CSV table of all heavy atoms in Angstrom, one decimal:
chain,number,residue,atom,x,y,z
I,116,LEU,N,30.2,-2.9,-23.7
I,116,LEU,CA,30.4,-1.9,-24.7
I,116,LEU,C,31.4,-2.4,-25.7
I,116,LEU,O,31.3,-2.2,-27.0
I,116,LEU,CB,30.8,-0.6,-24.1
I,116,LEU,CG,29.8,0.1,-23.2
I,116,LEU,CD1,30.4,1.2,-22.4
I,116,LEU,CD2,28.6,0.5,-24.0
I,117,THR,N,32.5,-3.0,-25.2
I,117,THR,CA,33.5,-3.6,-26.1
I,117,THR,C,33.0,-4.6,-27.1
I,117,THR,O,33.4,-4.6,-28.3
I,117,THR,CB,34.7,-4.1,-25.3
I,117,THR,OG1,35.2,-3.1,-24.5
I,117,THR,CG2,35.8,-4.7,-26.1
I,118,LYS,N,32.1,-5.4,-26.6
I,118,LYS,CA,31.5,-6.4,-27.5
I,118,LYS,C,30.4,-5.9,-28.4
I,118,LYS,O,30.2,-6.3,-29.5
I,118,LYS,CB,31.0,-7.6,-26.7
I,118,LYS,CG,32.1,-8.5,-26.1
I,118,LYS,CD,31.6,-9.7,-25.4
I,118,LYS,CE,32.7,-10.5,-24.8
I,118,LYS,NZ,32.3,-11.7,-24.2
I,119,ALA,N,29.6,-4.9,-27.8
I,119,ALA,CA,28.4,-4.4,-28.5
I,119,ALA,C,28.8,-3.6,-29.7
I,119,ALA,O,28.1,-3.7,-30.8
I,119,ALA,CB,27.6,-3.5,-27.5
I,120,ARG,N,29.8,-2.8,-29.6
I,120,ARG,CA,30.2,-1.9,-30.7
I,120,ARG,C,30.5,-2.6,-32.1
I,120,ARG,O,29.9,-2.3,-33.1
I,120,ARG,CB,31.2,-0.9,-30.3
I,120,ARG,CG,30.7,0.1,-29.3
I,120,ARG,CD,31.8,1.1,-28.9
I,120,ARG,NE,31.2,2.1,-28.0
I,120,ARG,CZ,31.7,2.5,-26.9
I,120,ARG,NH1,32.8,1.9,-26.5
I,120,ARG,NH2,31.1,3.4,-26.1
I,121,PRO,N,31.4,-3.6,-32.1
I,121,PRO,CA,31.6,-4.3,-33.3
I,121,PRO,C,30.4,-5.1,-33.8
I,121,PRO,O,30.1,-5.1,-35.0
I,121,PRO,CB,32.8,-5.2,-33.1
I,121,PRO,CG,33.1,-5.1,-31.6
I,121,PRO,CD,32.3,-4.0,-31.0
I,122,TYR,N,29.6,-5.7,-32.9
I,122,TYR,CA,28.4,-6.4,-33.3
I,122,TYR,C,27.4,-5.4,-33.9
I,122,TYR,O,26.8,-5.7,-34.9
I,122,TYR,CB,27.8,-7.1,-32.0
I,122,TYR,CG,26.5,-7.8,-32.3
I,122,TYR,CD1,26.6,-9.2,-32.7
I,122,TYR,CD2,25.3,-7.2,-32.3
I,122,TYR,CE1,25.4,-9.9,-33.0
I,122,TYR,CE2,24.1,-7.9,-32.6
I,122,TYR,CZ,24.2,-9.2,-33.0
I,122,TYR,OH,23.0,-9.9,-33.3
I,123,ASN,N,27.2,-4.3,-33.2
I,123,ASN,CA,26.3,-3.3,-33.7
I,123,ASN,C,26.7,-2.8,-35.1
I,123,ASN,O,25.9,-2.6,-36.0
I,123,ASN,CB,26.0,-2.2,-32.7
I,123,ASN,CG,25.3,-2.7,-31.5
I,123,ASN,OD1,24.8,-3.8,-31.4
I,123,ASN,ND2,25.2,-1.8,-30.5
I,124,ARG,N,28.0,-2.5,-35.2
I,124,ARG,CA,28.5,-2.0,-36.5
I,124,ARG,C,28.2,-3.0,-37.6
I,124,ARG,O,27.7,-2.7,-38.7
I,124,ARG,CB,30.0,-1.7,-36.4
I,124,ARG,CG,30.6,-1.0,-37.6
I,124,ARG,CD,32.0,-0.6,-37.4
I,124,ARG,NE,32.2,0.2,-36.3
I,124,ARG,CZ,32.8,-0.1,-35.1
I,124,ARG,NH1,33.3,-1.4,-35.0
I,124,ARG,NH2,32.9,0.7,-34.1
I,125,GLN,N,28.5,-4.3,-37.3
I,125,GLN,CA,28.3,-5.4,-38.3
I,125,GLN,C,26.8,-5.5,-38.7
I,125,GLN,O,26.5,-5.8,-39.8
I,125,GLN,CB,28.8,-6.7,-37.7
I,125,GLN,CG,28.6,-7.9,-38.7
I,125,GLN,CD,29.1,-9.2,-38.1
I,125,GLN,OE1,29.6,-9.2,-36.9
I,125,GLN,NE2,29.0,-10.2,-38.8
I,126,HIS,N,25.9,-5.2,-37.8
I,126,HIS,CA,24.5,-5.4,-38.0
I,126,HIS,C,23.7,-4.1,-38.2
I,126,HIS,O,22.5,-4.1,-38.2
I,126,HIS,CB,23.8,-6.2,-36.8
I,126,HIS,CG,24.4,-7.6,-36.8
I,126,HIS,ND1,25.5,-8.0,-36.0
I,126,HIS,CD2,24.0,-8.7,-37.4
I,126,HIS,CE1,25.7,-9.2,-36.2
I,126,HIS,NE2,24.8,-9.7,-37.0
I,127,ASN,N,24.5,-3.0,-38.4
I,127,ASN,CA,23.9,-1.7,-38.6
I,127,ASN,C,22.9,-1.3,-37.6
I,127,ASN,O,21.8,-0.8,-37.9
I,127,ASN,CB,23.3,-1.6,-40.0
I,127,ASN,CG,23.1,-0.2,-40.5
I,127,ASN,OD1,23.8,0.7,-40.1
I,127,ASN,ND2,22.2,0.0,-41.4
I,128,ILE,N,23.3,-1.5,-36.3
I,128,ILE,CA,22.5,-1.1,-35.2
I,128,ILE,C,23.1,0.1,-34.5
I,128,ILE,O,24.4,0.1,-34.3
I,128,ILE,CB,22.3,-2.2,-34.2
I,128,ILE,CG1,21.6,-3.4,-34.8
I,128,ILE,CG2,21.7,-1.8,-32.9
I,128,ILE,CD1,21.6,-4.7,-34.0
I,129,THR,N,22.4,1.1,-34.1
I,129,THR,CA,22.9,2.3,-33.4
I,129,THR,C,22.0,2.5,-32.1
I,129,THR,O,20.9,1.9,-32.0
I,129,THR,CB,22.8,3.5,-34.2
I,129,THR,OG1,21.5,3.7,-34.7
I,129,THR,CG2,23.8,3.4,-35.4
I,130,GLY,N,22.6,3.3,-31.2
I,130,GLY,CA,21.8,3.5,-30.0
I,130,GLY,C,22.6,4.0,-28.8
I,130,GLY,O,23.7,4.4,-29.0
I,131,VAL,N,21.9,4.0,-27.7
I,131,VAL,CA,22.5,4.5,-26.4
I,131,VAL,C,22.1,3.7,-25.3
I,131,VAL,O,21.0,3.2,-25.2
I,131,VAL,CB,22.2,6.0,-26.2
I,131,VAL,CG1,20.7,6.2,-26.1
I,131,VAL,CG2,22.9,6.6,-25.1
I,132,LEU,N,23.0,3.5,-24.3
I,132,LEU,CA,22.8,2.8,-23.1
I,132,LEU,C,23.0,3.8,-21.9
I,132,LEU,O,24.0,4.3,-21.8
I,132,LEU,CB,23.7,1.6,-22.9
I,132,LEU,CG,23.7,0.9,-21.6
I,132,LEU,CD1,22.4,0.1,-21.4
I,132,LEU,CD2,24.9,-0.1,-21.5
I,133,ALA,N,21.9,4.0,-21.1
I,133,ALA,CA,22.0,4.8,-19.9
I,133,ALA,C,21.9,3.9,-18.7
I,133,ALA,O,21.1,3.0,-18.8
I,133,ALA,CB,20.9,5.9,-20.0
I,134,TYR,N,22.6,4.2,-17.7
I,134,TYR,CA,22.5,3.3,-16.5
I,134,TYR,C,22.9,4.0,-15.2
I,134,TYR,O,23.5,5.1,-15.2
I,134,TYR,CB,23.4,2.1,-16.7
I,134,TYR,CG,24.9,2.4,-16.8
I,134,TYR,CD1,25.7,2.3,-15.7
I,134,TYR,CD2,25.5,2.8,-18.0
I,134,TYR,CE1,27.1,2.6,-15.8
I,134,TYR,CE2,26.8,3.0,-18.1
I,134,TYR,CZ,27.6,3.0,-17.0
I,134,TYR,OH,29.0,3.3,-17.1
I,135,THR,N,22.3,3.4,-14.2
I,135,THR,CA,22.7,3.9,-12.8
I,135,THR,C,23.2,2.7,-12.1
I,135,THR,O,23.5,1.6,-12.7
I,135,THR,CB,21.4,4.4,-12.1
I,135,THR,OG1,20.5,3.3,-11.8
I,135,THR,CG2,20.7,5.5,-12.8
I,136,THR,N,23.4,2.8,-10.8
I,136,THR,CA,23.9,1.7,-10.0
I,136,THR,C,22.8,0.6,-9.9
I,136,THR,O,23.2,-0.6,-9.6
I,136,THR,CB,24.2,2.1,-8.6
I,136,THR,OG1,23.1,2.7,-8.0
I,136,THR,CG2,25.4,3.1,-8.6
I,137,LYS,N,21.6,0.9,-10.3
I,137,LYS,CA,20.5,-0.1,-10.2
I,137,LYS,C,19.8,-0.5,-11.5
I,137,LYS,O,19.1,-1.5,-11.6
I,137,LYS,CB,19.5,0.3,-9.1
I,137,LYS,CG,20.1,0.4,-7.7
I,137,LYS,CD,19.1,0.8,-6.7
I,137,LYS,CE,19.8,0.9,-5.4
I,137,LYS,NZ,19.0,0.8,-4.2
I,138,ARG,N,19.8,0.4,-12.4
I,138,ARG,CA,18.9,0.3,-13.6
I,138,ARG,C,19.7,0.5,-14.9
I,138,ARG,O,20.7,1.2,-14.9
I,138,ARG,CB,17.7,1.2,-13.6
I,138,ARG,CG,16.8,1.1,-12.4
I,138,ARG,CD,15.9,0.0,-12.4
I,138,ARG,NE,15.0,0.1,-13.5
I,138,ARG,CZ,14.2,-0.9,-14.0
I,138,ARG,NH1,14.3,-2.1,-13.4
I,138,ARG,NH2,13.4,-0.7,-14.9
I,139,PHE,N,19.1,-0.1,-16.0
I,139,PHE,CA,19.6,0.1,-17.3
I,139,PHE,C,18.4,0.7,-18.1
I,139,PHE,O,17.3,0.2,-17.9
I,139,PHE,CB,20.1,-1.1,-18.0
I,139,PHE,CG,21.4,-1.7,-17.6
I,139,PHE,CD1,21.4,-2.8,-16.8
I,139,PHE,CD2,22.6,-1.1,-17.9
I,139,PHE,CE1,22.6,-3.4,-16.4
I,139,PHE,CE2,23.8,-1.6,-17.5
I,139,PHE,CZ,23.8,-2.7,-16.7
I,140,LEU,N,18.7,1.6,-19.0
I,140,LEU,CA,17.7,2.0,-20.0
I,140,LEU,C,18.4,2.1,-21.3
I,140,LEU,O,19.4,2.7,-21.5
I,140,LEU,CB,17.2,3.4,-19.7
I,140,LEU,CG,16.4,4.2,-20.7
I,140,LEU,CD1,15.1,3.4,-21.1
I,140,LEU,CD2,16.1,5.6,-20.3
I,141,GLN,N,17.9,1.3,-22.3
I,141,GLN,CA,18.6,1.3,-23.6
I,141,GLN,C,17.6,1.5,-24.7
I,141,GLN,O,16.5,1.0,-24.8
I,141,GLN,CB,19.3,-0.1,-23.8
I,141,GLN,CG,20.1,-0.1,-25.1
I,141,GLN,CD,21.1,-1.2,-25.2
I,141,GLN,OE1,20.8,-2.3,-24.7
I,141,GLN,NE2,22.2,-1.0,-25.9
I,142,TYR,N,18.1,2.4,-25.7
I,142,TYR,CA,17.4,2.7,-26.9
I,142,TYR,C,18.3,2.2,-28.0
I,142,TYR,O,19.5,2.6,-28.1
I,142,TYR,CB,17.2,4.2,-27.0
I,142,TYR,CG,16.6,4.6,-28.3
I,142,TYR,CD1,15.3,5.0,-28.4
I,142,TYR,CD2,17.4,4.8,-29.4
I,142,TYR,CE1,14.7,5.4,-29.6
I,142,TYR,CE2,16.9,5.2,-30.6
I,142,TYR,CZ,15.5,5.5,-30.7
I,142,TYR,OH,15.0,5.9,-31.9
I,143,ILE,N,17.8,1.3,-28.9
I,143,ILE,CA,18.5,0.8,-30.0
I,143,ILE,C,17.7,1.0,-31.3
I,143,ILE,O,16.4,0.9,-31.2
I,143,ILE,CB,19.1,-0.6,-29.9
I,143,ILE,CG1,18.0,-1.6,-29.4
I,143,ILE,CG2,20.2,-0.6,-28.9
I,143,ILE,CD1,18.4,-3.0,-29.3
Side-chain angles (χ1 to χ4, degrees):
L116 297 168
T117 299
K118 289 184 178 183
R120 288 181 177 132
Y122 179 91
N123 290 354
R124 189 175 301 110
Q125 180 182 1
H126 295 91
N127 199 24
I128 295 170
T129 55
V131 61
L132 173 67
Y134 63 96
T135 67
T136 56
K137 296 183 184 203
R138 302 285 296 164
F139 287 108
L140 168 63
Q141 187 165 28
Y142 173 102
I143 51 178

